[in-house]
Amino acid sequence: MKYDYLIVGSGLYGAIFAHEAAKLGRKVLVVDKRPNIGGNIYTEDIESIHVHKYGAHIFHTNNKKVWDYITQFADFNRFTNSPVANYKGELYSLPFNMYTFNKMWGVVTPDEAAAKIEKQRREAGISEPQNLEEQAISLVGRDIFEKLIKGYTEKQWGRDCKDLPAFIIKRLPVRLTFDNNYFNALYQGIPIGGYTKMMEHLLDGIEVRLDTDYLENKDELDALADKVIYTGPIDAYFDYQLGTLEYRSVRFENEVLDISNFQGNAAVNYTDRETPWTRIIEHKWFEFGKDADGKELPKTVISREYSSEWQPGDEPYYPVNDVKNAALYEEYKKLADSESKVVFGGRLGEYKYYDMDAVIASALEKCKEELS
Ligand code: FAD
Ligand code: UDP
């Protein structure tokens, strides 16, 4: 065998495993079917702007170990995520906070906001929320559900809010303070110089073959290594033999504009049902509108995001963590557990709605188990 590990996927999980294994003297080969490294966090330079090609990524964590680890490979700026919701031209502050409640109801004090939410919760008669709709109404009341959650969520997930699990909406904070920092994390920011540079540092000195689909060249690639770390979709690995897991996919429509400021914020969510896109990202604002030398950028790049049901051939972005898919995943997991030479990891390998920090923690844990 030429390599100790064949690592399928050059995203965060694969790159961290590769880095740690190589550091310990193991021979590793990374393959990725895409033409670029970095998985979903890859950034591409357009007009000196780091464009988040596979969706906007804001790093945030409360885990000091994860933060200390990742900051070996990049310095982070102080970007704080504060998206704006646009409902038919009305603008609201996100996540739900006193600015949102004031705009929605004219309330001024936290007590008034709490009373308004409580009144709408009581009117809806929900005691134990069973789905996303009930959970949302009991957290923020019906008005906010109708204007800021329902349309966005149904576009994002392609499902009625009554058919989605409650936990998805619990990702969104609700605050009775004037604090619109989306992620209440101890550590937050964007890697200076872009995510791609950070991933290049992680993969420094490691052999990477791009445009190489593992599943299409499985026998040949398996013959090269003792063990495989697989970070692609778990159902694809098993040739969908138990059926396909559902994913949501996203199509990104990029535009370079000859103006310096399109929307004045990195993220604007379009929360009505009729606008076909879920949100518009204006990438330059992740880095305060400046280039690497601190010069103001004359142009701007925006991406409209359209969410769709995943079809074979599309990029699988979001696992659909409902009961049906969770049960099917458990069946695939049993098959995965019986593959002694393959480790399944990452967002697709474990079919989990992982943020970057959770992927880093999970990869480091696996390194400890596998490499020591
Ligand atoms: P990936 O980055 O998906 O990497 C898997 C790699 O495997 C890919 O490069 C793929 O090409 C490759 N691969 C798959 N199959 C094969 C094959 N057969 N052969 C060869 N290669 C293969 N997290 C945050 O913390 N903050 C955010 O703001 C945030 N925003 C997000 C926005 C979007 C649109 C999405 C989809 C996710 C977001 N995330 C965010 C989550 C974040 O992207 C993931 O946690 C992280 O990137 C997952 O890393 P990974 O290595 O598991 O997977
Ligand atoms: N959400 C919403 N309105 C918004 C933003 C988010 O209703 O303006 C809902 C939506 O269901 C989404 C969930 O909150 O899936 C979690 O939002 P988050 O921004 O964490 O989603 P991500 O894109 O990071 O998965």
Side-chain angles (χ1 to χ4, degrees):
M1 295 281 184
K2 194 163 171 231
Y3 300 98
D4 297 305
Y5 289 100
L6 168 71
I7 296 160
V8 181
S10 62
L12 261 180
Y13 193 99
I16 288 174
F17 192 92
H19 182 89
E20 292 305 306
K23 206 164 78 183
L24 293 172
R26 311 292 164 84
K27 285 185 273 154
V28 300
L29 170 64
V30 177
V31 297
D32 203 299
K33 65 178 184 181
R34 291 185 185 168
N36 55 263
I37 60 162
N40 285 344
I41 67 175
Y42 172 74
T43 46
E44 177 180 35
D45 281 10
I46 302 177
E47 299 289 344
S48 301
I49 296 166
H50 299 120
V51 173
H52 298 215
K53 185 166 177 189
Y54 302 97
H57 280 76
I58 299 120
F59 189 85
H60 55 95
T61 190
N62 287 314
N63 185 330
K64 183 162 179 354
K65 209 174 113 204
V66 163
W67 180 248
D68 289 344
Y69 183 81
I70 203 65
T71 50
Q72 295 176 86
F73 307 101
D75 291 327
F76 281 67
N77 72 16
R78 53 156 197 83
F79 178 81
T80 299
N81 194 27
S82 300
V84 169
N86 181 330
Y87 177 78
K88 303 186 177 181
E90 293 170 25
L91 300 184
Y92 292 91
S93 172
L94 290 175
F96 311 122
N97 69 86
M98 284 302 296
Y99 290 113
T100 330
F101 304 137
N102 171 262
K103 179 87 188 257
M104 187 66 71
W105 298 313
V107 294
V108 170
T109 67
D111 275 354
E112 286 166 14
K116 193 87 188 167
I117 293 171
E118 183 50 31
K119 180 168 178 283
Q120 298 200 349
R121 186 210 321 256
R122 252 188 289 111
E123 280 166 7
I126 299 158
S127 50
E128 284 195 22
Q130 298 300 318
N131 54 49
L132 194 151
E133 174 163 329
E134 293 181 4
Q135 182 68 69
I137 294 172
S138 51
L139 283 172
V140 286
R142 187 170 291 282
D143 292 338
I144 288 181
F145 170 70
E146 296 287 348
K147 284 192 168 179
L148 305 185
I149 297 177
K150 191 175 188 323
Y152 186 93
T153 299
E154 292 185 0
K155 285 190 287 188
Q156 164 108 343
W157 294 101
R159 286 158 177 75
D160 194 279
C161 287
K162 289 195 189 70
D163 298 330
L164 284 164
F167 83 88
I168 292 180
I169 206 67
K170 286 204 200 143
R171 284 168 61 89
L172 280 181
V174 180
R175 301 191 190 116
L176 294 173
T177 56
F178 291 92
D179 174 5
N180 59 1
N181 177 352
Y182 201 71
F183 303 114
N184 231 346
L186 212 45
Y187 311 103
Q188 178 172 191
I190 302 285
I192 294 170
Y195 283 96
T196 300
K197 193 165 137 200
M198 179 179 96
M199 296 303 281
E200 282 166 359
H201 288 155
L202 258 168
L203 289 167
D204 191 25
I206 290 166
E207 186 180 346
V208 182
R209 293 187 199 164
L210 297 175
D211 293 308
T212 305
D213 190 320
Y214 167 67
L215 296 174
E216 283 174 12
N217 303 279
K218 192 167 179 307
D219 293 344
E220 189 190 316
L221 289 168
D222 280 344
L224 297 178
D226 289 329
K227 227 168 160 180
V228 175
I229 307 295
Y230 177 82
T231 72
I234 187 168
D235 53 347
Y237 180 92
F238 293 105
D239 201 18
Y240 308 105
Q241 59 180 269
L242 305 175
T244 50
L245 287 163
E246 290 173 304
Y247 299 90
R248 293 295 290 169
S249 196
V250 187
R251 184 168 61 80
F252 302 99
E253 210 176 77
N254 294 344
E255 235 186 296
V256 180
L257 302 176
D258 213 357
I259 54 171
S260 65
N261 191 355
F262 173 72
Q263 61 185 18
N265 204 36
V268 176
N269 294 358
Y270 285 75
T271 58
D272 65 299
R273 190 71 189 79
E274 293 73 32
T275 304
W277 52 85
T278 48
R279 57 182 186 177
I280 299 182
I281 299 297
E282 188 171 10
H283 300 266
K284 69 192 299 186
W285 302 123
F286 288 123
E287 296 173 74
F288 315 113
K290 302 207 167 104
D291 71 8
D293 302 321
K295 269 201 350 253
E296 303 283 340
L297 290 155
K299 295 191 182 180
T300 194
V301 181
I302 60 165
S303 304
R304 291 186 176 80
E305 298 188 4
Y306 300 84
S307 191
S308 62
E309 198 64 24
W310 174 85
Q311 308 285 343
D314 294 345
E315 287 290 350
Y317 283 115
Y318 294 97
V320 179
N321 289 116
D322 59 11
V323 176
K324 184 179 87 182
N325 285 290
L328 182 55
Y329 169 70
E330 283 310 316
E331 294 306 307
Y332 274 117
K333 172 95 174 48
K334 285 184 200 150
L335 292 182
D337 289 342
S338 64
E339 294 271 317
S340 59
K341 288 176 72 174
V342 186
V343 170
F344 293 79
R347 207 177 219 222
L348 303 171
E350 296 173 64
Y351 196 68
K352 273 211 184 104
Y353 196 46
Y354 268 149
D355 277 331
M356 287 182 274
D357 60 334
V359 167
I360 294 169
S362 161
L364 290 176
E365 198 50 45
K366 185 52 77 180
C367 290
K368 213 160 60 182
E369 192 185 309
E370 181 68 33
L371 300 170
S372 52

